[in-house]
Amino acid sequence: MQPTNVSSPDYFHKVVDCQWACPAHTPVPEYIRLIAAGRYSDAYLINWESNVFPGILGRTCDRPCEPACRRGRVEEANNASPEPVAICRLKRVAADLKDDIRDRLPKPARQKNGKRIACVGAGPASLTVARDLLPLGYHVVIYDGDARAGGMIRTQIPRFRLPESVIDEEVGYVLNLGAEFRAGTRVDSLKSLLAENYDAVFVGSGAPRGRDLDIPGRREAAANIHIGIDWLSSVSFGHIEKIGKRVIVLGGGNTAMDCCRSSRRLGGDDVKVIVRSGFDEMKASPWEKEDAQHEGIPIINFHVPKAFTHENGKLTGMTFEVVEAKYDANGKRSLVPSGQPDVHVECDDVLIAIGQENAFPWIERDIGLDFDKWGMPVVDKTTFQSTQAKVFFGGDAAFGPKNIIWAVAHGHDAAISIDKFCQAEDVAVRPPPMMNLLSQKMGIHEWSYDNAITADSRYKVPLKDVSIALKSIKVEVELGFDAKLGFKEAQRCLNCDVQTVFTAKQCIECDACVDICPMDCITFTEDGEEADVRKRLTAPALNLTQDLYISGGLKTGRIMAKDEDVCLHCGLCAERCPTGAWDMQKSFIEMTHAGCGKHKPLPLAAE
Amino acid sequence: MTYLAKPKLHHPKLPTNALGYTRRDYEGAISTLCAGCGHDSISAAIIQACFELDLPPHRIAKLSGIGCSSKTPTYFLGNSHGFNSVHGRMPSVLTGANLANRDLIYLGVSGDGDSASIGLGQFAHVMRRGVNMTYIVENNGVYGLTKGQFSATSDKGSKSKRGVVNADEAIDLAALAMQLGATYVARSFSGDKAQLVPLIKGALLHPGAALLDVISPCVAFNNHTGSTKSYDYVREHNEAVNYLDVITLHKEITTEYSPGELQEVRQHDGSILRLRKLHEGYDASDRIAAMNFLQESKAEGEIATGLLFVEEDPADLHAASNTVATPLNALETADLVPGAGALAKINAGLR
Ligand SMILES: Cc1cc2nc3c(=O)[nH]c(=O)nc-3n(C[C@H](O)[C@H](O)[C@H](O)COP(=O)(O)OP(=O)(O)OC[C@H]3O[C@@H](n4cnc5c(N)ncnc54)[C@H](O)[C@@H]3O)c2cc1C
Ligand SMILES: Cc1ncc(C[n+]2csc(CCOP(=O)(O)OP(=O)(O)O)c2C)c(N)n1
Ligand code: SF4
Ligand code: SF4
Ligand code: SF4
Ligand SMILES: [Mg+2]
């Protein structure tokens, strides 16, 4: 096998599963250690640098990092319910417990660079672009049809999940960098916007249209049938304060979960979620389904809506066909009638939350900006540039509805492109991330990180009592970890960024590391093809998504193969190694943001 | 020396044996030996062997003398019986224990100083008595615990860390054991578990006196150039005579060999020691030839390893002494005090 090139920044980055999985590549273990050390402000700033909205994301993030987290794999067969580290909720700990950090944020640029950028929409994607470009001296004008900035963070996510004060604070940090926010100003024509001589335009207008359900009765009973996202924003704005006692929510995604939980707080006593698919295939995150069920909301699956029923123009309920899942030879699923009689469910209101669509009625089709056959703009996946060189896309507007952290990640990449574009550089040439390796050795068996491994199971975030929580749409349900629970949960993190680094010429092949490793990660063996080597290891390396760290150059001609999969980063291999062939080195991977090198990194408190 | 205890977490796919134990269940306390010590690898090999043989930990007794090597029983088989005896006296304590209860599996762990220097007399007698045991010498050529003085197995002409040349002849414990009647004699190297683990398994199954002389580099005092017990030196001079595969009753025989390549020894519990010959014509069942071979290979500067000698039908001390099969602690008063009538009968027989 080819020896591993550990100097390529991606190799060790991939070992930090959470950071690799995070679209914005937040240095998770670094901030978790800072939380354990009680350095909440520093933990916050590390987050702020990468994901711009730590307090918001710490409550709402889709957390792609958690399914990827090594702790979940490590606990398999070791814990009755293996769980990842509560990465997301620890982020909230940093946000909740930090001091006033305003002095430590960048200041509005003193010197402008003369370039003007327009952002359409004031959602997380545009705000990220603004955050990255403002300190470099760009003049950023943000347009939004709504009166306040935040996009769907403000209009869609219900207050019981995300208090308005948190939005105000973090959106404020961005606007205070000197953005010009044109509130209540909808852009009706991209052509005329371009005519205003902006140097570049960023489209972060989201995916604003909720899908409708065109089945019999839809028109007749329209007064009590609502499109989920429109209804949620009306609730957010305070235009809607009540709903009927019996509510059906259609759909299985996170919007459906927000609709049903909001209904419970606005007078819905008997709220049901009814979905076409099976429970397990629902799009909503497991924890959102859990939260809904915790509030006494049943989720009824395998029911396909057939008609709205009504009497004298008033909605009376809905009929559903009951289906079941059938799998063909290729494992492809289809829903087929189960043969059971149709079901009628009575209700007073229906919320349709079956998906969102993009809509760009304000973009002319004759300005050199191509759209594909699905009506989506043609956007480069790396540069986020459209076919009209001046126009960049990001967030839900670029490739369809996703989530906040993806919008942020797009924003960072688009900002790099916009900066390069304005400086007449090639947008296709992307700056590589920076990787810095630092030995953690302090003494013979002393490390500058806490290498002891706790056996604790994941801690649950304390919740407000349901009876109080359901009384008001504004009462935040989750109380968040306090300092003590936050510390305990932080201790579950395995410090995957503290890498096992191997130096073959120092190794005397004594096997000490092989014998001590609690997870059977290390093997000295004959070289071979990867598929064959994987089978011959101390513990066969069956998780193909995880790399083998290979090193040649040993005296016996064998190779060292380390399976990264379930390494605890406990450092025992390095403690046991008589020659220092193993060392524990912290990799700090910093994704490059716009204008990298042109402005100083945020100052952390003295180490 | 490590201060952090080994986390209890184990690999999610860690296999279990017939008793439902994982290999980790055969571990002991965390080792306090120097990092890189060969003795720790031998501990790991013992753990692996006991796991693979499905041995119930509570049926094993670990006995040792004094030395770094003799400390190691703390670091494996944490749920077995153990007795850390006096320097060089492990063999007599083991013999006594074995006489009292032959149902346990006896594992003697010793060092080259413990066995070849202060304990040579005990070593000789435990071998010639044929005590049913697995006797492992963790041989590093020095007194590790007392900071690296030459031991009696140090080769003549080899250099100490400070450059002093050893003028005394070395004792070859494997050769000695063969001469004194041990019925299973092997030599191996701590850095070669593929060879060592099966040899330990074979010894544990062998119903007689089994000696394993395992060269085990001392990283602190005897791993320099000029040493003949260093990792590098042993790797360069290691000449394995055969490769052992222990086939227990439940294990399927999968590999095929051409005739002449294999030598099989059937043990009386039904298991088979299958030897794949690496050295042409080496016959592990011929004691005299094996002894000659050892002398020859030593003269050539080679370290012969593998299963050097095994007797198919060994007898042990109990057979020779015609002792009672029941462990002494299980004998009832009626067995131990047969009464005046029985005495009268014996006396009558002597008249
Ligand atoms: C009910 C619901 C709950 C959600 N919950 C979560 C969650 O918990 N976690 C999560 O990560 N994601 C969640 N999401 C998804 C998340 O809100 C979006 O993915 C994210 O906000 C997209 O960001 P964006 O910047 O692309 O656009 P948006 O946030 O959609 O912002 C677009 C903005 O552009 C404005 N705009 C649009 N067109 C124009 C125009 N022509 N002129 C001027 N302004 C314009 C809009 O008014 C809006 O303010 C949820 C979505 C919904 C619908
Ligand atoms: C009766 C007695 N004499 C001397 C000693 C000092 N002593 C302790 S360990 C040891 C030598 C151990 O050498 P070895 O058996 O090779 O063990 P190693 O430490 O090398 O593994 C000696 C001489 C002692 N403990 N008791
Ligand atoms: S254990 Fe910690 S560093 Fe490792 S993947 Fe999970 S959160 Fe990230
Ligand atoms: S840090 Fe070393 S000893 Fe610990 S699990 Fe990873 S490879 Fe094994
Ligand atoms: S402990 Fe160190 S010297 Fe020994 S095998 Fe492992 S890496 Fe090599
Ligand atoms: Mg010794």
Side-chain angles (χ1 to χ4, degrees):
Chain A
M1 286 184 69
Q2 278 299 314
T4 304
N5 174 14
V6 292
S7 59
S8 134
D10 276 1
Y11 182 76
F12 282 140
H13 187 175
K14 248 184 109 180
V15 173
V16 194
D17 288 306
C18 49
Q19 185 172 4
W20 182 254
C22 172
H25 304 299
T26 305
V28 174
E30 181 73 9
Y31 84 68
I32 292 185
R33 274 191 302 274
L34 288 169
I35 289 171
R39 290 167 59 183
Y40 306 113
S41 300
D42 290 340
Y44 183 84
L45 286 172
I46 288 215
N47 270 289
W48 190 79
E49 179 98 38
S50 327
N51 55 51
V52 193
F53 305 104
I56 293 169
L57 288 164
R59 293 166 164 87
T60 61
C61 189
D62 223 24
R63 11 170 160 160
C65 53
E66 292 191 15
C69 168
R70 173 166 284 107
R71 179 88 200 186
R73 297 198 299 278
V74 158
E75 286 190 357
E76 264 170 51
N78 282 296
N79 186 318
S81 56
E83 293 260 24
V85 174
I87 302 170
C88 177
R89 277 6 182 202
L90 283 172
K91 202 187 299 297
R92 175 176 169 182
V93 172
D96 284 359
L97 304 184
K98 69 178 186 305
D99 306 316
D100 186 345
I101 44 89
R102 280 173 298 182
D103 281 354
R104 295 171 64 183
L105 298 178
K107 306 279 166 297
R110 245 181 284 145
Q111 221 175 343
K112 295 281 186 180
N113 68 1
K115 305 282 182 189
R116 291 169 66 249
I117 313 296
C119 290
V120 183
S126 289
L127 290 171
T128 302
V129 170
R131 205 282 310 256
D132 287 357
L133 294 181
L134 284 165
L136 302 178
Y138 286 89
H139 183 85
V140 181
V141 182
I142 305 174
Y143 295 84
D144 202 299
D146 291 336
R148 309 191 60 190
M152 287 197 168
I153 292 177
R154 198 182 286 277
T155 60
Q156 293 292 319
I157 300 180
R159 297 290 170 265
F160 59 83
R161 286 209 285 130
L162 176 63
E164 187 132 43
S165 57
V166 180
I167 309 175
D168 290 344
E169 176 190 338
E170 291 187 337
V171 168
Y173 290 156
V174 177
L175 296 181
N176 290 342
L177 291 169
E180 180 184 339
F181 178 43
R182 303 225 182 134
T185 312
R186 184 158 292 279
V187 174
D188 290 321
S189 157
L190 181 56
K191 203 185 228 167
S192 21
L193 189 69
L194 285 167
E196 290 181 37
N197 276 328
Y198 282 107
D199 293 284
V201 172
F202 176 77
V203 179
S205 58
R209 191 182 284 165
R211 275 211 195 100
D212 204 346
L213 184 62
D214 193 15
I215 52 173
R218 173 70 179 92
R219 234 151 306 143
E220 294 83 338
N224 292 91
I225 302 171
H226 322 272
I227 300 290
I229 66 167
D230 297 341
W231 183 81
L232 283 171
S233 52
S234 301
V235 170
S236 244
F237 293 137
H239 302 328
I240 289 180
E241 291 174 330
K242 267 227 276 301
I243 194 157
K245 276 198 172 341
R246 302 166 305 168
V247 182
I248 293 176
V249 176
L250 300 174
N254 290 341
T255 305
M257 298 303 114
D258 281 341
C259 284
C260 68
R261 297 179 68 197
S262 295
S263 301
R264 281 291 273 134
R265 290 160 170 81
L266 297 180
D269 291 338
D270 172 10
V271 180
K272 295 184 182 76
V273 172
I274 305 186
V275 300
R276 294 164 54 95
S277 67
F279 183 83
D280 294 332
E281 305 146 37
M282 286 168 62
K283 282 220 181 92
S285 328
W287 54 89
E288 301 241 30
K289 293 194 269 187
E290 217 173 273
D291 289 341
Q293 289 174 316
H294 176 71
E295 293 177 357
I297 301 164
I299 297 176
I300 300 166
N301 62 359
F302 291 128
H303 278 52
V304 178
K306 263 183 113 171
F308 296 96
T309 56
H310 48 91
E311 256 175 56
N312 310 323
K314 190 161 178 352
L315 179 75
T316 53
M318 286 189 73
T319 46
F320 295 89
E321 180 180 33
V322 184
V323 294
E324 56 192 24
K326 275 265 151 60
Y327 295 86
D328 69 10
N330 302 324
K332 207 173 146 351
R333 188 214 65 168
S334 53
L335 295 173
V336 297
S338 67
Q340 291 173 48
D342 286 352
V343 173
H344 183 256
V345 181
E346 293 182 2
C347 69
D348 304 313
D349 282 288
V350 172
L351 297 173
I352 303 175
I354 55 171
Q356 261 168 275
E357 286 167 342
N358 289 83
F360 301 97
W362 55 279
I363 300 184
E364 293 80 357
R365 305 296 143 124
D366 62 352
I367 53 170
L369 201 160
D370 295 345
F371 282 79
D372 63 18
K373 59 181 172 189
W374 297 282
M376 288 297 286
V378 177
V379 175
D380 186 281
K381 290 224 151 46
T382 325
T383 64
F384 292 85
Q385 194 172 34
S386 71
T387 53
Q388 162 31 296
K390 260 190 183 183
V391 181
F392 299 81
F393 281 74
D396 289 358
F399 311 115
K402 279 192 172 151
N403 52 42
I404 304 169
I405 191 66
W406 271 112
V408 169
H410 291 177
H412 284 316
D413 277 326
I416 292 175
S417 301
I418 293 171
D419 182 37
K420 284 179 160 270
F421 180 74
C422 291
Q423 308 303 326
E425 289 169 25
D426 185 356
V427 294
V429 179
R430 311 303 288 183
M434 323 256 255
M435 206 252 309
N436 177 348
L437 275 177
L438 191 70
S439 176
Q440 300 295 291
K441 204 172 175 73
M442 306 274 284
I444 298 180
H445 8 66
E446 221 178 313
W447 306 97
S448 54
Y449 72 108
D450 185 357
N451 62 328
I453 306 292
T454 168
D456 292 6
S457 299
R458 180 176 169 125
Y459 289 90
K460 285 211 159 28
V461 178
L463 302 180
K464 255 242 148 64
D465 191 83
V466 182
S467 61
I468 302 170
L470 290 181
K471 281 213 177 84
S472 160
I473 192 128
K474 294 214 167 118
V475 173
E476 188 173 14
V477 174
E478 288 192 11
L479 300 173
F481 289 134
D482 59 13
K484 204 168 142 210
L485 275 180
F487 172 78
K488 285 188 171 169
E489 183 61 28
Q491 289 298 91
R492 293 182 68 241
C493 173
L494 300 168
N495 304 291
C496 300
D497 59 341
V498 182
Q499 308 286 351
T500 54
V501 180
F502 183 73
T503 311
K505 65 176 192 301
Q506 258 155 268
C507 175
I508 58 169
E509 296 174 70
C510 69
D511 267 6
C513 52
V514 177
D515 296 336
I516 197 68
C517 176
M519 303 307 273
D520 297 336
C521 301
I522 305 170
T523 310
F524 291 86
T525 184
E526 313 308 323
D527 199 356
E529 292 300 315
E530 173 162 355
D532 159 55
V533 169
R534 278 183 175 270
K535 279 185 261 163
R536 287 195 271 116
L537 302 184
T538 313
L542 305 174
N543 182 354
L544 300 182
T545 66
Q546 291 283 318
D547 286 338
L548 295 187
Y549 180 173
I550 300 294
S551 173
L554 294 168
K555 271 202 186 143
T556 58
R558 298 182 297 172
I559 55 167
M560 187 291 298
K562 183 206 164 199
D563 182 7
E564 300 281 9
D565 188 18
V566 288
C567 170
L568 300 175
H569 298 262
C570 61
L572 284 178
C573 47
E575 285 191 11
R576 272 284 147 186
C577 179
T579 64
W582 284 112
D583 190 24
M584 302 307 290
Q585 300 185 3
K586 184 166 91 180
S587 61
F588 191 78
I589 296 127
E590 205 174 351
M591 301 313 289
T592 29
H593 292 159
C596 190
K598 293 182 208 161
H599 69 113
K600 273 193 283 171
L602 289 180
L604 290 193
E607 295 270 342
Chain B
M1 201 197 271
T2 306
Y3 289 115
L4 191 68
K6 189 164 170 173
K8 286 276 170 277
L9 295 170
H10 59 71
H11 193 282
K13 299 256 157 48
L14 191 65
T16 50
N17 64 13
L19 300 176
Y21 294 129
T22 68
R23 188 187 77 236
R24 298 287 304 278
D25 293 323
Y26 289 84
E27 288 180 350
I30 193 88
S31 168
T32 58
L33 301 183
C34 305
C37 178
H39 298 353
D40 282 332
S41 287
I42 300 173
S43 297
I46 294 171
I47 289 168
Q48 184 70 29
C50 293
F51 163 76
E52 287 180 13
L53 287 178
D54 308 317
L55 297 184
H58 68 285
R59 302 309 298 157
I60 306 173
K62 310 168 287 183
L63 297 112
S64 63
I66 296 292
C68 297
S69 35
S70 293
K71 281 173 72 177
T72 62
T74 308
Y75 316 139
F76 57 81
L77 299 176
N79 291 310
S80 299
H81 306 280
F83 193 87
N84 198 181
S85 74
V86 195
H87 201 16
R89 271 62 180 172
M90 176 272 281
S92 43
V93 178
L94 188 149
T95 305
N98 186 309
L99 278 173
N101 183 353
R102 63 162 90 175
D103 284 356
L104 299 183
I105 298 162
Y106 290 94
L107 178 58
V109 177
S110 177
D112 43 317
D114 198 57
S115 286
S117 299
I118 192 171
L120 190 61
Q122 299 240 332
F123 176 86
H125 291 289
V126 83
M127 292 302 161
R128 58 181 278 279
R129 285 177 181 140
V131 178
N132 180 6
M133 65 183 172
T134 297
Y135 191 129
I136 299 182
V137 178
E138 307 192 343
N139 185 354
N140 54 15
V142 288
Y143 300 164
L145 194 69
T146 55
K147 305 280 168 279
Q149 302 83 350
F150 283 126
S151 79
T153 65
S154 225
D155 287 310
K156 190 170 184 174
S158 69
K159 274 199 192 120
S160 79
K161 203 176 178 181
R162 286 188 297 124
V164 181
V165 177
N166 178 27
D168 302 342
E169 192 52 58
I171 293 174
D172 181 341
L173 289 171
L176 199 55
M178 257 188 254
Q179 191 202 333
L180 291 167
T183 45
Y184 182 107
V185 178
R187 179 140 53 215
S188 189
F189 169 46
S190 68
D192 184 1
K193 285 207 195 66
Q195 182 192 50
L196 178 56
V197 173
L199 288 175
I200 297 175
K201 284 163 71 177
L204 287 166
L205 293 176
H206 181 78
L211 172 84
L212 271 130
D213 176 21
V214 187
I215 302 172
S216 172
C218 170
V219 278
F221 301 111
N222 206 7
N223 195 37
H224 46 268
T225 27
S227 157
T228 57
K229 301 267 191 292
S230 67
Y231 282 104
D232 285 351
Y233 186 92
V234 179
R235 284 210 167 95
E236 260 163 51
H237 297 84
N238 189 342
E239 281 299 322
V241 296
N242 50 28
Y243 178 84
L244 173 65
D245 202 4
V246 176
I247 300 157
T248 52
L249 285 175
H250 339 280
K251 193 173 151 187
E252 239 180 285
I253 300 176
T254 46
T255 349
E256 298 270 333
Y257 295 102
S258 51
E261 247 189 283
L262 280 188
Q263 181 172 10
E264 286 194 349
V265 180
R266 195 167 290 271
Q267 311 226 101
H268 86 167
D269 69 343
S271 59
I272 296 168
L273 303 183
R274 168 178 279 205
L275 289 164
R276 181 154 47 87
K277 292 187 187 174
L278 296 178
H279 197 278
E280 216 185 318
Y282 191 86
D283 179 1
S285 66
D286 184 338
R287 190 187 289 266
I288 312 238
M291 284 166 67
N292 285 333
F293 182 85
L294 270 196
Q295 300 304 323
E296 282 160 19
S297 64
K298 189 186 171 192
E300 280 164 33
E302 285 173 357
I303 303 168
T305 60
L307 181 48
L308 302 172
F309 171 71
V310 58
E311 197 164 303
E312 196 157 348
D313 225 351
D316 83 328
L317 174 63
H318 284 283
S321 321
N322 192 24
T323 52
V324 58
T326 315
L328 300 190
N329 63 4
L331 291 176
E332 302 292 334
T333 316
D335 305 320
L336 294 170
V337 191
L343 181 64
K345 259 194 203 157
I346 292 170
N347 282 341
L350 295 174
R351 269 202 193 102

